[in-house]
Amino acid sequence: MHYLDIINLSFRTVISQKLRSILTALGLIIGIAAVIILTSIGRGIHSYVLAEFTQFGTNLIAVFPGKTTTLGLSGATISTVRPLSMADALSLSKLDNILAALPLVQGNARIEAGKKQRRTTVLGVGAAVPEIWKIKVATGRFLPANEQTNPRAFAVLGHKLALELFGDNNPLGQRIRIGSDRFRVLGVMEKKGQMLGFDMDDTIYIPTAKALALFDRESLMEIDLLYKSNMSVKTIEKSIKRLLQLRHGREDFTLITQDQMLKSIDSILNILTLAVAALGSISLLVGSVGILTIMTIAVSERISEIGLLRAVGAEQGTIFKLFLSEALVLSFAGGSIGVLLGLLIVYLISFTLPNLPVQLAWLYIMAAFAISLLIGLAAGVIPAMKAARLHPLDALRSE
Amino acid sequence: MTFSDTLIQSYSAIKTQPVRVLLIILAMSIGIASVTVLTALGESARLYIVNEFEALGTHLVIVLPGRAETTGGHPPIFGETPRDLTLADAQALFRSRNIAAIAPINIGAAPVSTKGLERETTIIGSTASLRRVRHLNMAQGRFLPDTDTNKILSVCVIGQTIKNELFAQQQALGQWLRINDRRFRVIGVLSSEGQSIGVDFDDMVIIPVTAAQTLFNTQSLFRILLEAKSKPAMYKAVDEIKDIIKARHDGEDDVTLITQDSVVKTFDDILMALTLAVTSIASISLAVAGILVMNVMWVSVSQRTSEIGLLKALGATKRQIMYLFLSEAAILSIAGALTGLILGKATLFILQTVYPDFPVYLPTWAVFAALAVALLTALIFGVLPAKQAAEMNPVTALRRK
């Protein structure tokens, strides 16, 4: 029997039992669609989080005080007997291949402008913020460079803070009060939005030395370093370590490269996507049991038909192929409709809920489709073998 | 036809098709097993986290310096503020009568050393109350003495990791421990707590708060931990603390208060939502199994058309025929559900043996819910085929072969 004939015949059998075929395929369709939707959401979250982290640029290294760091927050960040100083940051910035260094202190204070006031996050930073954090100044300019050790009392406002304190008025050149110290507004940053729950717009940037004085501390919380993108992280890391060890006499700091962090986040999120895919494929498994069941029934129902085919000269192989291709037609139909349905729902989601990040995970989609075909094969083999093994005489005789 | 007749009839109908039945039970049990396992894992994770948080203390209130304007966002974790939260602030809180114990906390990192062994570790400065507030247990010796907080006592309490690393195979009590440039006498060793919510009390040295303030050259506190006298007292204490600090800070409201139950509730809600999400994803497979039941019931109705015709000709009512097929679907699903429950239990048992530290617990309601859902699935998906059987015209049904 010609291959086309086999496919044609099994297609007609599938069509003749419309309701049964639809229900069987439906099991697969739901499973495949679930896998596609879930992995798309997983993939979307994956690229969303990675984008959040890479918006700061990828060739960054952060230096933290203290040797042991658990989840970025060690006791040393709060207070330490071996501080990371402004001088450390300054000498790090003079290293070869380091483009900029950003000494960082963070705190919380009340900002007063005229009669208005607001409690907000205070970031003690250097002039390199626009360059290192990839955030632009909307009006005015950022803190001046070359004023690390004895800076003037300038402040740059985040977008939201400027709006809250000055409304429609021009904040540039205005005097504000942070805690008990007076500052002059030099610029306003552009709108940046939330960054992993931290509102980048509800902040104020002041020179690091001023922030250290304001909070009465001597250690920086972090130094962010931007290095030349053509250099390898390893060399940079080595030179930073050597310099700081020379300055401190021992290794009392922790380096975290953006690379490392991205890699670990990436692997965590990949596991997440894999986990939801696994959850979705439970349905796929149940759907495949469905195909197996229906094929078993089909064989037992059509015993006399098989007998007739054998009697008119069909070989065992032909019978086997016939039933196998029937299972394949079912699973192919289920798989492709499932993929289409999944794609449709993913588009609907991204259309109606633009806040929920979805991204099609083509690898998983292709895998799901391939698995649906495999399911067809696996579920078809046993019933098809059973059909092929039937003795033509017995088969014809049975009713 | 009595109820038991219906059951017996459908049971004998099922028995004639063992392969088909086994496959349906398999499909159903995969669904039920995955739902039960995932519910159990979610529930256990929820209980585990909630217990961890509840073990932190009783009626605990945390005072952090600094306050952000937007509520619901991050609390100011680092807590650097122009106006410090001081020891005097902490002591002033005793004015509230709803507070049972106050533990000011200072935290930092410093190298600790003894006899040439050095290790950088977290140093906590606090008072005798910390033990009560944080429910710490001693393995050896005693905790910080309950004396005037302003006096600098050179004593320390160390965690298990510190003891093992610095005083391996020897008595730690009474020994001198050097923290940066100061010496402290070890007066107690904490019993091992393991990691509790990110805070490793094993790798920690606790010294009197004033000693920590001199060590780190600061007068600000990192946190103040409070234990309220009772749950209603906790809410009153929160308001009173706000007032006391405000009065001391020139009328400025610059602290954030976190109550333990609000933290517990947040995590409870998050994990509950997570469990629900995971379970509902898994129950998609139950819907797929339901479709399979429906499909097979349809096949069974069409195969037994002449039998239905005969039954109808003998006087069976529509209702009886419908019950016959429905109970067949119900028996199949319940069998699947029971198998699934056993499978789920077995998986959980294996998980429990592999990870003995994580208590896995299958809530009773989940067992009943699984059975109920399976039954419901059978009835919903069985109703259409059963109806079709019931509506058949006896004459045409009998005539068909």
Side-chain angles (χ1 to χ4, degrees):
Chain A
M1 214 143 102
H2 203 270
Y3 270 102
L4 268 178
D5 288 342
I6 289 181
I7 292 171
N8 196 6
L9 194 60
S10 40
F11 187 69
R12 285 223 303 268
T13 345
V14 169
I15 291 287
S16 72
Q17 296 275 1
K18 274 195 196 70
L19 184 65
R20 188 192 289 184
S21 305
I22 289 172
L23 284 178
T24 315
L26 193 60
L28 262 190
I29 290 170
I30 292 175
I32 299 264
V35 170
I36 288 179
I37 295 165
L38 289 170
T39 50
S40 298
I41 293 174
R43 192 85 211 156
I45 291 171
H46 184 154
S47 45
Y48 172 77
V49 173
L50 278 190
E52 289 276 273
F53 274 92
T54 43
Q55 66 177 336
F56 283 163
T58 42
N59 35 347
L60 277 184
I61 295 183
V63 186
F64 295 94
K67 190 71 201 88
T68 46
T69 316
T70 41
L71 297 167
L73 186 69
S74 95
T77 309
I78 316 300
S79 43
T80 176
V81 294
R82 291 168 176 173
L84 210 53
S85 66
M86 286 292 289
D88 287 332
L90 206 62
S91 70
L92 280 174
S93 70
K94 290 188 178 130
L95 268 179
D96 282 348
N97 300 317
I98 296 286
L99 294 173
L102 183 68
L104 183 70
V105 184
Q106 188 192 338
N108 174 279
R110 181 172 62 176
I111 322 292
E112 288 171 59
K115 287 205 182 86
K116 290 197 176 163
Q117 54 163 291
R118 184 176 176 83
R119 293 205 68 91
T120 189
T121 308
V122 177
L123 294 173
V125 292
V129 165
E131 187 184 354
I132 294 187
W133 286 356
K134 307 265 188 289
I135 168 168
K136 290 195 193 82
V137 183
T139 51
R141 55 202 173 86
F142 203 73
L143 302 172
N146 306 321
E147 281 193 15
Q148 295 237 341
T149 39
N150 194 15
R152 285 171 286 171
F154 287 138
V156 176
L157 306 179
H159 178 83
K160 187 173 176 186
L161 184 67
L163 215 63
E164 291 286 337
L165 290 180
F166 293 100
D168 293 333
N169 300 329
N170 184 9
L172 295 188
Q174 299 283 346
R175 289 197 169 279
I176 55 167
R177 198 184 265 282
I178 306 175
S180 54
D181 304 344
R182 282 151 71 85
F183 288 80
R184 190 183 285 281
V185 178
L186 204 59
V188 177
M189 305 305 281
E190 65 170 12
K191 201 168 160 63
K192 187 83 174 174
Q194 298 246 333
M195 148 84 190
L196 299 175
F198 180 79
D199 193 350
M200 294 289 286
D201 296 331
D202 196 5
T203 49
I204 185 164
Y205 302 84
I206 61 173
T208 318
K210 287 282 173 198
L212 285 175
L214 184 69
F215 300 133
D216 186 23
R217 49 179 294 150
E218 51 176 336
S219 176
L220 299 170
M221 285 176 176
E222 180 180 337
I223 302 175
D224 287 346
L225 299 167
L226 181 72
Y227 59 88
K228 280 186 192 150
S229 51
N230 54 4
M231 295 301 297
S232 84
V233 197
K234 287 270 175 299
T235 3
I236 302 279
E237 240 180 315
K238 217 182 258 170
S239 62
I240 294 171
K241 270 193 181 152
R242 196 176 326 119
L243 177 78
L244 281 180
Q245 266 166 358
L246 272 175
R247 292 181 60 87
H248 290 205
R250 46 164 78 81
E251 193 176 333
D252 55 357
F253 53 87
T254 310
L255 295 184
I256 294 185
T257 65
Q258 187 84 346
D259 241 31
Q260 269 169 6
M261 206 156 75
L262 286 179
K263 257 181 211 142
S264 57
I265 290 171
D266 192 56
S267 63
I268 290 171
L269 291 169
N270 273 334
I271 291 172
L272 189 88
T273 311
L274 196 67
V276 286
L279 277 181
S281 35
I282 298 172
S283 321
L284 215 51
L285 186 63
V286 177
S288 62
V289 175
I291 290 198
L292 182 59
T293 317
I294 291 304
M295 287 312 295
T296 322
I297 291 174
V299 170
S300 68
E301 267 181 354
R302 285 175 11 219
I303 290 182
S304 52
E305 185 191 324
I306 296 168
L308 189 63
L309 277 171
R310 292 294 308 271
V312 297
E315 286 163 32
Q316 280 197 338
T318 315
I319 302 288
F320 178 79
K321 277 183 210 151
L322 207 58
F323 277 88
L324 194 61
S325 76
E326 192 179 326
L328 273 176
V329 165
L330 269 178
S331 60
F332 181 80
S336 22
I337 297 174
V339 169
L340 288 179
L341 186 73
L343 291 179
L344 188 74
I345 293 179
V346 169
Y347 280 121
L348 273 180
I349 289 175
S350 62
F351 193 65
T352 48
L353 302 166
N355 286 329
L356 186 72
V358 284
Q359 194 182 36
L360 291 174
W362 286 107
L363 198 69
Y364 280 105
I365 293 175
M366 286 190 293
F369 188 68
I371 286 174
S372 72
L373 288 187
L374 272 181
I375 286 171
L377 265 181
V381 160
I382 296 174
M385 259 162 55
K386 203 177 132 196
R389 284 223 194 95
L390 283 175
H391 198 267
L393 277 183
D394 294 341
L396 259 180
R397 201 179 296 140
S398 85
E399 200 172 329
Chain B
M1 210 148 71
T2 63
F3 181 64
S4 61
D5 284 340
T6 314
L7 284 186
I8 291 168
Q9 263 284 340
S10 11
Y11 178 68
S12 47
I14 288 169
K15 252 195 355 199
T16 56
Q17 304 281 358
V19 181
R20 194 189 291 180
V21 167
L22 273 180
L23 286 174
I24 292 186
I25 288 178
L26 176 66
M28 205 63 170
S29 64
I30 292 172
I32 292 283
S34 54
V35 170
T36 30
V37 168
L38 289 168
T39 319
L41 287 182
E43 266 298 291
S44 313
R46 188 178 70 86
L47 281 180
Y48 181 75
I49 301 270
V50 166
N51 278 340
E52 286 274 287
F53 272 103
E54 274 170 353
L56 284 183
T58 30
H59 316 309
L60 190 69
V61 182
I62 306 165
V63 185
L64 344 175
R67 184 168 65 87
E69 206 76 45
T70 33
T71 47
H74 276 307
I77 309 169
F78 292 110
E80 284 296 344
T81 46
R83 191 187 283 102
D84 295 329
L85 198 60
T86 61
L87 256 185
D89 285 334
Q91 271 151 3
L93 294 181
F94 268 122
R95 253 189 274 154
S96 160
R97 257 181 288 155
N98 295 310
I99 293 173
I102 299 176
I105 303 275
N106 231 314
I107 193 166
V112 296
S113 60
T114 183
K115 293 174 192 145
L117 291 171
E118 191 187 89
R119 183 182 174 82
E120 172 158 326
T121 187
T122 309
I123 312 287
I124 288 205
S126 193
T127 60
S129 308
L130 180 67
R131 184 176 175 197
R132 167 168 179 184
V133 174
R134 263 307 260 106
H135 295 191
L136 298 174
N137 293 314
M138 305 300 296
Q140 273 179 304
R142 57 206 172 79
F143 200 69
L144 300 176
D146 192 6
T147 53
D148 182 9
T149 34
N150 289 322
K151 231 165 68 187
I152 297 187
L153 276 174
S154 291
V155 293
C156 67
V157 175
I158 60 176
Q160 280 293 339
T161 313
I162 302 287
K163 183 192 178 294
N164 295 338
E165 292 288 327
L166 298 183
F167 301 103
Q169 314 289 330
Q170 51 174 315
Q171 181 64 272
L173 291 185
Q175 304 259 30
W176 287 106
L177 187 69
R178 180 178 281 279
I179 305 179
N180 200 29
D181 53 353
R182 285 155 208 278
R183 288 201 305 168
F184 292 82
R185 198 180 278 285
V186 179
I187 56 166
V189 179
L190 291 174
S191 59
S192 183
E193 303 251 339
Q195 283 266 359
S196 93
I197 329 252
V199 182
D200 186 4
F201 266 96
D202 291 348
D203 194 1
M204 226 169 238
V205 177
I206 302 175
I207 59 177
V209 62
T210 17
Q213 291 190 325
T214 356
L215 185 70
F216 296 118
N217 186 22
T218 172
Q219 55 159 342
S220 63
L221 293 177
F222 175 60
R223 301 250 187 288
I224 301 175
L225 301 183
L226 302 159
E227 185 178 320
K229 282 188 176 142
S230 63
K231 198 152 191 178
M234 185 169 73
Y235 300 113
K236 280 188 215 150
V238 167
D239 293 335
E240 285 171 356
I241 293 166
K242 269 201 179 128
D243 291 342
I244 294 170
I245 301 277
K246 200 169 172 180
R248 292 182 55 86
H249 286 189
D250 304 329
E252 197 182 334
D253 187 9
D254 62 354
V255 289
T256 305
L257 291 166
I258 300 174
T259 53
Q260 189 182 7
D261 64 340
S262 68
V263 178
V264 170
K265 177 139 193 343
T266 313
F267 276 90
D268 201 20
D269 289 351
I270 292 174
L271 287 165
M272 196 64 158
L274 206 68
T275 310
L276 266 178
V278 169
T279 315
S280 45
I281 292 174
S283 37
I284 297 174
S285 62
L286 277 181
V288 176
I291 291 173
L292 177 59
V293 169
M294 184 169 172
N295 210 353
V296 169
M297 288 309 295
W298 232 302
V299 171
S300 144
V301 168
S302 72
Q303 281 181 344
R304 275 150 59 193
T305 308
S306 51
E307 186 190 328
I308 295 167
L310 188 63
L311 278 171
K312 284 202 130 182
L314 288 174
T317 58
K318 277 183 185 180
R319 188 171 288 259
Q320 279 170 339
I321 303 279
M322 196 157 134
Y323 282 164
L324 204 62
F325 280 92
L326 272 186
S327 65
E328 189 179 328
I331 290 174
L332 284 177
S333 327
I334 298 259
L338 287 176
T339 323
L341 277 177
I342 293 168
L343 237 133
K345 274 268 184 198
T347 317
L348 289 176
F349 180 76
I350 293 168
L351 276 177
Q352 184 70 94
T353 18
V354 179
Y355 301 103
D357 289 341
F358 181 71
V360 181
Y361 144 89
L362 179 64
T364 327
W365 61 261
V367 176
F368 286 107
L371 285 175
V373 166
L375 196 57
L376 205 70
T377 321
L379 295 185
I380 290 172
F381 286 99
V383 117
L384 277 179
K387 251 214 167 104
Q388 196 205 24
E391 306 271 295
M392 272 178 189
N393 186 346
V395 180
T396 38
L398 257 178
R399 201 181 295 147
R400 252 187 69 179
K401 198 191 70 150

